[in-house]
Amino acid sequence: MWTSRRLVLAHLWFAFGSFGAALPLGEWQMFIRSPLHAWISDPEWYYRSVTAHGTTMAYVFPTLVAMGFGYFVTEHALQRPMVGLRWAWAGLALVAVGTVMAIVPVALGLASVLYTFYPPLIGNPFYYIGVVLVVVGSWVWVALMSINMYRWKRDNPGAPVPFPMFATVAGSYLWAWTAVGAALELLFQIIPVALGWRSTIDAGLARVFFSWTLHAIVYFWLMPAYIAYYTIVPRAIGGRLFSDTMGRIAFILFLVVAMPIGIHHAFEDPQIGSGFKYLHSVFTALVALPTVLTVFTICASVEIAGRLRGGKGVLGWLAALPWRNPIMLGAALSFVMLGFGGAGGLINMSYQLNATVHNTQWITGHFHLIFAGAIVIMYFVIAYDIWPHLTGRALDSFDLMRAQLWTWFLGMIVLTFPWHWVGILGMPRRMAFYDYTDPAIAAQAASVTMSVVGGAILVLSGVLFLVVLARGQTAPRTEPATYRFSVAVRPPRTLPAALNGFGLWLGLMVGLTIVNYGFPIAHSLVTPGTAVPAVKVGERW
Amino acid sequence: MIRERIASLRNPWFTASIGITVAIALVAAVVGFVWLPLQHPGERFKGVWDAICSASGLVRNAASSAQIVRADYLTTSVEIEPQMLGGASAESIGRGATLALRCTMCHGARGLSQADTPNLAGQYPVTIYKELVDFKTGARGSAVMAPLVADLSDADMRDLAAYYAYLPRVSVPQPSAGEPPRIVASGAPLRGIAPCGACHGEVDSKASAAWLEGQPAIYLRTQLEAFSTGARHNDIGEQMRNIVRRMTADEIAAASAFYAARQ
């Protein structure tokens, strides 16, 4: 009955393989700009590495995890074979071709523009076309998620869509809409210049388009992690999901308010009016709401498990939890990182506090803690949970899994806490060289060195992760028990139509986007003289 | 089961979600576009509409006091674009060669100077053209060059640029330059000095940055010093003046010596 095993496995191996390749690049960057290494003299190598690391870790790795996990959820939540398997393979092929097409020019030093593109920097056109192919491949997935859900609804009129599927489709819609910003930037602004059809570019407008993508893309990365909180963790520790409805509302809120908030990435951009910055700041504050709902629901679900396992008293249920279970451990470590990262995020969204940390190493520390920390550790948890169901072989290196999760957590803390700290001290980001002999920054040398150590721990942890998966691939065959997602305390029998579909929420998402982005984009489009000459990267003349 | 209509005023999910969203957006808009701008003591808005326009990012008529500050000296009139003056024709190069006969006294028969004047052979055409125009307009001052360029037309100057760019950069045996000094390779980030090589070719080449390798050391040093005092000011964005003002005398000497020794 499970037709998508190989498909999911291919997605996840490709995802984790690219993760394994890009991980050491990050540590190399940290090392060569630390006081432990002499200046490499050619910053181009540094930016080449940053571009490869960012492109792989931001576009390829999480997209493939979301796609693979999405296909897994489709079959196991809807309990029937997936529609469009060939299309799914075609989507994966597009992602693969796009990845190679993007990474080759980066490796050749022809597109060292960083994954956020930064026009008026312009690199080799194949880099951008490759990124577009990755996105187009992922849109195949979006369409398949939607088709599978609607076919199921057609065949089961009035029945509640299983929550894992509902959440996955929410994530796919969020991605479909948020990718439009970068797609517009690439197709109408950057690629024509990269191909030599135009020589100038409106960098301010490009930044507005990119901000459209840049914040909600983080929530797209986050979706598999949140889906795992709700649908894997309670089951894996022997509990129940506290509330199915609360989960649906959280994902709906992500869909509506994760999107129209990206201008908080552009608080220092002069081409955007202060009113719109304020508007985006308010909606950014609202996006904390679904996370707060999630933290509450998951803590309640975990408490149910603790009490079912015999825990008593106000805190006694905590001690009764199965802490040696890698899924419990991973989720707990993820929550700790989410707490610290979320607190940092609240600082970034505040206009005044952002002015202090804008473009400093604080920001790099922040997004590594949230994404590479809280989210990616849940990708590991997902892999550990579903791997036996994909390979038909046991995954039982539990000591190794625990060591891997702990080292990922410790490495991420040791990497990002000093990173935040030097950011507060004013160390700028995106620089290839820091002169630690200068008394002004000599005191930051120790903090940067600590981050190098944290990065080394992470590389070790990444290797451990791949070893665990590889061992799972070669273990003796077993027939795993039927895969189940968490069951809610009160599984829904009927649902209001609004909580069983997306029409209303997609309407609100698009409407809010138009309200929050329409004017800044239109204003840039009609204001003359906003384009600047493009600066070609990797060309010498 | 009766299908429940979502888009209906009788559906509480529909009315509540849209109502709450619109209410939040409206309150945020009033605060962000009206109330907050009016709290700025420095801004003198003519009314609420003016404040809204300002907060929307509209370029309003600037107050009359905010005049554009213009330099009190001549600046360059050349607008440089990345692919400018590429692909010169053989005719243009030939005309340039004829015109260049008058330059040979100082810049050498084939663009290689024996007299501590710049070597022009193989220089970027944009650089030659821009400097010629600047000498002609007076944006760059030189008692020697000014009379020589006075009667050159724009086409003449493009031809000269094409000719010198076409000449090979003949390398003269010189002592090895060795490793680039720190100022060339990494600049001085804490003083806001980008590496020389970031524009002048060691690391990357940027439009309008000249080819410096093999130029006479004394010429390079004199020009750097002229930028630092402001005597030379044909860098319209003040990029060279801002950089050199923060350089030490040792760094100026080191950079000049390094580029002079390169081929």
Side-chain angles (χ1 to χ4, degrees):
Chain A
M1 172 180 168
W2 309 127
T3 57
S4 64
R5 267 187 181 185
R6 284 159 57 86
L7 176 76
V8 176
L9 205 56
H11 276 82
L12 294 185
W13 265 123
F14 189 3
F16 293 128
S18 62
F19 157 82
L23 184 62
L25 292 179
E27 171 62 352
W28 178 78
Q29 289 149 217
M30 198 72 236
F31 175 63
I32 60 114
R33 64 174 172 77
S34 80
L36 301 175
H37 191 277
W39 166 223
I40 53 166
S41 293
D42 189 350
E44 202 280 318
W45 281 101
Y46 180 81
Y47 293 116
R48 193 184 296 198
S49 174
V50 176
T51 309
H53 178 81
T55 303
T56 310
M57 294 299 208
Y59 294 140
V60 180
F61 168 51
T63 306
L64 283 167
V65 170
M67 289 167 73
F69 187 47
Y71 294 134
F72 181 85
V73 166
T74 304
E75 283 206 341
H76 288 82
L78 300 183
Q79 290 287 318
R80 61 188 212 170
M82 195 180 94
V83 176
L85 202 62
R86 279 162 194 254
W87 283 99
W89 280 106
L92 177 63
L94 273 177
V95 174
V97 170
T99 304
V100 173
M101 195 185 274
I103 289 297
V104 168
V106 172
L108 294 174
L110 301 176
S112 304
V113 294
L114 309 200
Y115 88 94
T116 36
F117 307 141
Y118 292 118
L121 291 183
I122 295 291
N124 186 285
F126 284 106
Y127 171 65
Y128 305 110
I129 296 168
V131 172
V132 169
L133 287 186
V134 170
V135 173
V136 171
S138 71
W139 281 349
V140 173
W141 167 75
V142 172
L144 288 176
M145 291 300 99
S146 191
I147 290 168
N148 275 282
M149 186 182 84
Y150 281 98
R151 292 224 174 156
W152 187 90
K153 280 180 83 169
R154 192 190 61 196
D155 299 340
N156 299 271
V161 174
F163 173 65
M165 190 63 196
F166 183 83
T168 301
V169 175
S172 77
Y173 286 160
L174 178 65
W175 171 237
W177 183 241
T178 196
V180 168
L184 291 171
E185 181 196 5
L186 284 170
L187 296 178
F188 293 104
Q189 293 198 278
I190 291 181
I191 291 178
V193 180
L195 290 172
W197 300 341
R198 278 209 295 267
S199 62
T200 59
I201 186 164
D202 183 345
L205 176 63
R207 288 178 61 82
V208 174
F209 276 137
F210 198 78
S211 83
W212 168 327
T213 295
L214 187 56
H215 202 71
I217 197 176
V218 182
Y219 288 95
F220 165 63
W221 300 338
L222 185 136
M223 285 294 177
Y226 271 48
I227 295 169
Y229 288 153
Y230 282 96
T231 67
I232 294 180
V233 173
R235 182 221 70 217
I237 62 172
R240 287 275 187 123
L241 176 61
F242 176 70
S243 166
D244 178 278
T245 309
M246 196 99 97
R248 285 173 202 261
I249 291 176
F251 280 90
I252 284 169
L253 281 172
F254 273 128
L255 193 57
V256 176
V257 294
M259 186 36 242
I261 62 178
I263 282 179
H264 74 247
H265 289 252
F267 275 160
E268 308 297 314
D269 278 35
Q271 79 278 17
I272 302 163
S274 63
F276 286 99
K277 290 174 181 170
Y278 182 77
L279 207 55
H280 281 243
S281 191
V282 167
F283 280 97
T284 311
L286 283 180
V287 89
L289 200 61
T291 291
V292 171
L293 280 181
T294 301
V295 170
F296 176 80
T297 309
I298 300 308
C299 287
S301 310
V302 171
E303 184 181 342
I304 292 171
R307 296 203 185 278
L308 285 174
R309 294 168 64 91
K312 303 256 180 272
V314 179
L315 292 173
W317 58 273
L318 277 169
L321 290 170
W323 288 105
R324 290 178 59 78
N325 179 335
I327 290 170
M328 178 72 233
L329 178 66
L333 298 178
S334 172
F335 261 43
V336 173
M337 291 189 277
L338 187 69
F340 283 117
L346 293 177
I347 287 169
N348 302 342
M349 62 148 244
S350 146
Y351 189 85
Q352 285 79 2
L353 291 175
N354 173 74
T356 325
V357 294
H358 193 86
N359 267 345
T360 68
Q361 299 272 6
W362 166 284
I363 303 299
T364 346
H366 167 73
F367 67 70
H368 277 83
L369 185 53
I370 279 278
F371 172 50
I375 297 174
V376 169
I377 205 170
M378 289 308 290
Y379 292 179
F380 300 150
V381 166
I382 290 171
Y384 290 157
D385 192 58
I386 70 175
W387 213 250
H389 299 269
L390 299 175
T391 58
R393 296 166 193 270
L395 191 72
D396 50 10
S397 325
F398 292 112
D399 284 337
L400 223 48
M401 289 184 211
R402 281 189 286 272
Q404 191 271 322
L405 294 168
W406 270 113
T407 44
W408 191 261
F409 170 74
L410 291 174
M412 197 54 72
I413 298 288
V414 177
L415 172 77
T416 57
F417 277 37
W419 219 344
H420 280 82
W421 171 243
V422 294
I424 295 175
L425 297 180
M427 188 183 240
R429 65 188 277 221
R430 301 191 200 101
M431 276 178 61
F433 171 63
Y434 299 88
D435 181 3
Y436 299 99
T437 60
D438 192 296
I441 63 163
Q444 295 167 24
S447 302
V448 178
T449 309
M450 269 167 75
S451 288
V452 179
V453 174
I457 300 173
L458 289 171
V459 172
L460 173 77
S461 180
V463 171
L464 277 181
F465 174 67
L466 294 175
V467 167
V468 171
L469 293 194
R471 286 179 62 154
Q473 206 76 47
T474 52
R477 285 197 170 276
T478 58
E479 199 43 55
T482 311
Y483 191 86
R484 288 191 303 112
F485 291 104
S486 307
V487 178
V489 173
R490 290 185 194 81
R493 279 202 217 131
T494 57
L495 278 175
L499 292 185
N500 206 31
F502 290 99
L504 172 58
W505 314 115
L506 292 178
L508 272 176
M509 173 178 85
V510 174
L512 268 180
T513 308
I514 291 169
V515 169
N516 284 9
Y517 271 107
F519 185 85
I521 290 173
H523 182 222
S524 277
L525 282 174
V526 300
T527 307
T530 48
V532 293
V535 178
K536 297 258 178 158
V537 167
E539 262 182 31
R540 297 187 176 217
W541 27 266
Chain B
M1 190 189 142
I2 306 157
R3 266 188 78 82
E4 181 189 338
R5 262 179 65 99
I6 293 182
S8 152
L9 289 177
R10 264 180 260 157
N11 187 329
W13 289 92
F14 179 78
T15 44
S17 62
I18 292 185
I20 292 170
T21 311
V22 169
I24 292 171
L26 273 180
V27 172
V30 169
V31 173
F33 287 90
V34 181
W35 187 70
L36 278 176
L38 291 175
Q39 302 307 305
H40 277 276
E43 301 273 6
R44 288 198 203 89
F45 294 116
K46 295 189 198 92
V48 172
W49 183 245
D50 199 23
I52 292 173
C53 290
S54 159
S56 307
L58 286 177
V59 183
R60 298 170 303 135
N61 292 330
S64 56
S65 60
Q67 294 289 344
I68 295 169
V69 179
R70 297 200 183 277
D72 55 2
Y73 49 82
L74 271 174
T75 50
T76 187
S77 57
V78 182
E79 287 180 28
I80 292 175
E81 286 172 14
Q83 275 76 30
M84 196 169 157
L85 295 180
S89 66
E91 291 76 13
S92 171
I93 295 169
R95 283 194 300 271
T98 311
L99 287 164
L101 288 172
R102 68 172 86 178
C103 316
T104 52
M105 184 74 89
C106 299
H107 291 289
R110 304 265 303 157
L112 292 170
S113 165
Q114 303 290 321
D116 283 343
T117 42
N119 298 320
L120 300 182
Q123 182 56 271
Y124 302 121
V126 171
T127 302
I128 307 240
Y129 172 73
K130 174 177 182 292
E131 297 309 317
L132 286 173
V133 173
D134 288 354
F135 282 127
K136 188 175 161 84
T137 60
R140 182 175 177 187
S142 164
V144 180
M145 287 300 293
L148 286 166
V149 296
D151 60 344
L152 290 180
S153 68
D154 189 68
D156 292 342
M157 292 189 278
R158 288 171 190 268
D159 293 341
L160 277 165
Y163 170 65
Y164 279 117
Y166 158 83
L167 287 179
R169 287 170 186 154
V170 180
S171 56
V172 190
Q174 295 189 42
S176 158
E179 282 296 297
R182 204 179 171 91
I183 192 76
V184 172
S186 37
L190 287 159
R191 278 179 281 150
I193 303 178
C196 309
C199 298
H200 290 285
E202 285 301 304
V203 177
D204 201 356
S205 299
K206 294 281 152 62
S208 90
W211 171 265
L212 298 182
E213 312 200 342
Q215 300 295 352
I218 187 146
Y219 170 74
L220 291 174
R221 209 183 68 219
T222 326
Q223 293 306 312
L224 287 173
E225 284 163 359
F227 275 125
S228 81
T229 59
R232 181 174 169 186
H233 45 62
N234 63 331
D235 53 333
I236 195 165
E238 288 205 46
Q239 55 276 58
M240 282 310 298
R241 279 172 283 171
N242 282 328
I243 283 170
V244 188
R245 269 198 284 264
R246 299 193 186 102
M247 284 168 75
T248 63
D250 286 347
E251 285 167 342
I252 290 178
S256 308
F258 169 75
Y259 277 109
R262 296 278 284 197
Q263 292 158 27

